[in-house]
Amino acid sequence: MVTFLAGGTGTPKLLAGADGVFPPQETTVVANTGDDIELGGHLICPDLDTVLFLGGDDLDRETWWGRADDTTETHDELHRLADAADLETGPRYLPAERQTAGRAIARWRRFSGVAEFMLIGDRDRAVHLTRTALLDEGESLTAVTRTLADAFDLDRTLLPMSDDPVATIVHTPSGPMHFQEWWVARNGEPPVEDVEFRGSAEADPTDAVLAALDGPVVIGPSNPVTSIGPMLAIDDIERALHGTTVVAVSPFVGDEVFSGPAADLMAGTGVEPSTAGVAASYPFADAFVLDEADPTELDRPVVRTDTTLDGPTDAARVARAVDRALEVA
């Protein structure tokens, strides 16, 4: 059994071609939930859903978000109504007293559904409605995720990092904002001054997560700050990683990031935006997979390959390198 830590698009892109190396029936994925938000009363779990839709062969692989060939009639109508009623658009947080009211899992990240700032497809929305309804019936996020995984015929085991709320808050000169506001609504602006994982000190991993972390762990080329950072902010998860074999794939080639906001977030939190910075962020990692063009020298074993992930063939190549790294680790 091998466990992957997943956040953003990096690890899912690796998983998209890894079946021949890491059989899905022998693979567990622990997904970041710091990016989750409640939008219009519905809990959206982007990193869980990317793995869910990937495993169900329903992921939009152009955007690596949402369901393939989805329609957006409800989203479009929400924006038409807001325009017609002259309602302010953009991220609309619910009032402060509402942020900690209601279901606990949605704390500190509640947004109004008026002119929703995230594009939610119609079939995608059905998943969020079902998830939220089951949570309101008293199920845990882990149990609800298992139910949805069964509905999508997942062969992998998919787990949220915790059943407790952890919200990724980006601190900027304009004030604190949830990661989704900073990245989706504001395109990674203003500059990052710090990143907070609100709730992490009180959050616990489930027994299922701790059991999954008892074996070899792979961290794909995900953003180390907001994709993996929320997991590391939970003490028992970080402690477990120090006690098992861990291989990490760098999302950088030297100081050039493949995609996404990793460089800005690392720099903003005082970490060198580079492969060396990734290695510093993962002191528990026993080995790394680096691009063959990456000049970085590390103090731990390294397996090199072309780490480009433009399709299943690329992913299979990187997965084989990960397997070799697990052997040398």
Side-chain angles (χ1 to χ4, degrees):
M1 298 294 293
V2 175
T3 295
F4 287 75
L5 303 188
T9 63
T11 300
K13 286 180 178 179
L14 173 58
L15 290 169
D19 289 8
V21 182
F22 300 104
Q25 298 87 346
E26 301 172 13
T27 301
T28 296
V29 179
V30 178
N32 166 46
T33 58
D35 290 1
D36 295 4
I37 65 168
E38 187 180 89
L39 184 61
H42 306 142
L43 186 67
I44 299 170
C45 302
D47 292 339
L48 281 168
D49 287 343
T50 297
V51 178
L52 183 72
F53 301 154
L54 174 68
D57 198 27
D58 197 33
L59 179 66
D60 184 338
R61 297 203 190 193
E62 292 296 320
T63 61
W64 287 85
W65 156 259
R67 303 177 70 173
D69 303 317
D70 208 348
T71 56
T72 60
E73 290 187 20
T74 302
H75 177 85
D76 296 341
E77 180 64 7
L78 284 169
H79 279 261
R80 190 197 69 77
L81 286 171
D83 288 342
D86 198 25
L87 295 170
E88 182 181 349
T89 59
R92 296 166 59 111
Y93 289 94
L94 296 190
E97 64 273 14
R98 296 286 305 279
Q99 292 295 335
T100 54
R103 65 181 75 88
I105 195 69
R107 284 178 179 169
W108 314 297
R109 48 192 175 187
R110 289 188 164 100
F111 292 85
S112 167
V114 172
E116 57 187 18
F117 72 97
M118 296 178 74
L119 177 64
I120 308 297
D122 296 317
R123 290 188 300 116
D124 191 6
R125 195 179 306 274
V127 173
H128 310 319
L129 278 163
T130 301
R131 172 187 292 120
T132 307
L134 291 172
L135 288 168
D136 286 348
E137 289 178 10
E139 298 287 341
S140 67
L141 184 58
T142 295
V144 172
T145 301
R146 186 181 306 116
T147 297
L148 291 171
D150 288 344
F152 279 83
D153 292 325
L154 254 67
D155 292 324
R156 296 186 184 95
T157 298
L158 177 60
L159 301 170
M161 68 185 197
S162 177
D163 285 334
D164 299 318
V166 177
T168 298
I169 308 296
V170 179
H171 290 263
T172 78
S174 300
M177 56 188 71
H178 190 277
F179 172 75
Q180 297 294 358
E181 177 186 359
W182 178 80
W183 180 237
V184 176
R186 304 190 184 277
N187 298 310
E189 295 288 346
V192 179
E193 294 182 332
D194 201 2
V195 177
E196 170 194 1
F197 304 112
R198 191 171 294 174
S200 60
E202 294 77 38
D204 294 311
T206 61
D207 290 342
V209 167
L210 291 177
L213 298 179
D214 195 42
V217 173
V218 176
I219 302 177
S222 293
N223 180 334
V225 179
T226 54
S227 291
I228 305 300
M231 296 188 235
L232 304 185
I234 299 175
D235 288 343
D236 284 348
I237 290 181
E238 203 226 0
R239 190 176 300 114
L241 293 172
H242 279 280
T244 194
T245 300
V246 179
V247 165
V249 182
S250 177
F252 287 81
V253 179
D255 59 2
E256 295 293 326
V257 69
F258 274 106
S259 64
D264 290 339
L265 288 161
M266 291 173 72
T269 53
V271 178
E272 179 184 329
S274 67
T275 288
V278 173
S281 300
Y282 302 154
F284 46 77
D286 300 288
F288 282 83
V289 174
L290 304 186
D291 192 89
E292 55 199 6
D294 193 324
T296 310
E297 296 294 333
L298 299 178
D299 59 356
R300 283 162 275 183
V302 169
V303 173
R304 295 182 183 272
T305 189
D306 177 356
T307 55
T308 304
L309 288 171
D310 287 338
T313 300
D314 290 336
R317 179 186 62 249
V318 177
R320 290 191 295 270
V322 168
D323 195 36
R324 294 197 300 274
L326 285 169
E327 292 176 1
V328 302

